[in-house]
Amino acid sequence: MKSIFENTATAFALKTDAELERAYFLFKMIANEPLVRIGTAMTNFAIKAKLPVEGLIRATVFDHFCGGISEKDCLPVVDKLFTKGVSSVLDYSVEGKDTEDPLDEALEMILKVLDFVKEKEAIPFAVFKPTGYGRFSLFQKKTEGIPFTAEEQSEWDRVVARFEKTCQKAYDLDVALLIDGEESWMQDAADELAEEMMRKYNKEKVVVYNTLQLYRWDRLDYLKALQQRAAQDGFKIGMKVVRGAYMEKENERALEKGYPSPICGSKAATDTNYDTVVAYMLENLDTMSIYMGTHNEESCYKMLDLMNHKNLAPNNPSIWFGQLYGMSDHISFNLAASGFNVSKYLPFGPVRDVMPYLIRRAEENTSVAGQTSRELNLLKIERKRRKI
Ligand SMILES: Cc1cc2nc3c(=O)[nH]c(=O)nc-3n(C[C@H](O)[C@H](O)[C@H](O)COP(=O)(O)OP(=O)(O)OC[C@H]3O[C@@H](n4cnc5c(N)ncnc54)[C@H](O)[C@@H]3O)c2cc1C
């Protein structure tokens, strides 16, 4: 198992030579930090000024990282991925807004996605983001324990109703549902809601998955406390397990406000925390399901070893791996080729609305140590293998 991710022929089997070249060109561009900074500023400006840049964005970053502008648009990509055993998670990537209309639109879209994906083997999960369903500051206020005004209380009741409606529908249609994790200073309120949903809908099997961000050092204790409540109240725990996407913001805020940072003190500490929690969940697979959202090869290899050691079938229904579309195909496709459950987060939405997501991908691929050089290196190896 130790070297399955090195197989670039499997990793890029779906890419034509031209697509391979486009990916190579794209990652070369976003490896260049000044270029990303200038490109981001120019794109933001062009979009605000309503300049006709959408075609250019679509032909480059958008098509590499997104499935399309609507859920239907994503279907050819979904079907193509599934020919290699890779499933999809349709991710409506329009980011949190502060007025009610977009929140209701997000709800309608997720409900539509649930209808769309039911009985579609290639799309076993739907996903939503808490702040897609409610104002960030409302989640924050709840997390901080500050009492709501009457108006805020009814606004919060609407947030709860959106969670309810989505989870009820996922349960009725038997589609698993992932709830994304966000910033720690609003997350307690989201966790409480997700727990309520698990209590209600995860009685027989896991329908609702919350997210554990393992760059937070307090999460194993949180999981153990949740496990006790789950045992008492008779429900199962579903968790997407990620390292966490908001590290800089978290550290900066903690420093600015003078509280201890919730983030592990080093990358190595985050890695240990991640692997420890995954191993703990695997020990408790009778009551827990894991969705490992990671591009980290070592963590995946560790999971494969543990599964092997425990004689678990690769396609055990309680264990899923997930990567983002457009990244780490060497992990996704090689895992799928070995029979593991793998899915790609496939973002979709109007080009303008998906821009923050795309900019984050570009920045992450520039700044996350090793990520871009790894993608580039793999693409280089495959170009050489194909002699292009
Ligand atoms: C399918 C999928 C779903 C995701 N969903 C979410 C989500 O709901 N919420 C969310 O927040 N993120 C989410 N992410 C993003 C994820 O949290 C990571 O940011 C990203 O995947 C990079 O981490 P990695 O495990 O792939 O591995 P690596 O590249 O090995 O790890 C990078 C991560 O390690 C941590 N880290 C880096 N340096 C340090 C340091 N000095 N000290 C402490 N920690 C450090 C950070 O979390 C950083 O993102 C998701 C990712 C995937 C693939």
Side-chain angles (χ1 to χ4, degrees), residues 180-181 213 215 240 243-245 247 266-267 270 294-296:
D180 282 347
Q213 296 157 303
Y215 60 10
K240 173 166 54 136
R243 280 181 169 73
M247 183 178 72
S266 66
K267 172 71 163 69
T270 294
T294 184
H295 297 152
N296 184 298

Side-chain angles (χ1 to χ4, degrees), residues 180-181 211 213 215 240 242-247 263-267 270-271 291 293-296 322-324 345 364 368 371:
D180 282 347
T211 298
Q213 296 157 303
Y215 60 10
K240 173 166 54 136
V242 301
R243 280 181 169 73
Y246 309 97
M247 183 178 72
I263 306 299
C264 294
S266 66
K267 172 71 163 69
T270 294
D271 291 346
Y291 181 104
T294 184
H295 297 152
N296 184 298
Q323 288 77 43
L324 305 182
Y345 254 45
E364 172 185 285
V368 174
Q371 177 79 48

Side-chain angles (χ1 to χ4, degrees), residues 276-315:
T276 305
V277 167
V278 166
Y280 184 81
M281 290 189 71
L282 206 64
E283 285 300 322
N284 291 278
L285 215 55
D286 52 334
T287 53
M288 296 185 186
S289 292
I290 314 174
Y291 181 104
M292 269 182 80
T294 184
H295 297 152
N296 184 298
E297 291 171 15
E298 274 311 306
S299 290
C300 293
Y301 278 134
K302 281 190 179 143
M303 179 60 142
L304 302 191
D305 280 348
L306 287 175
M307 288 175 72
N308 191 24
H309 194 68
K310 287 177 134 323
N311 274 328
L312 293 172
N315 65 348

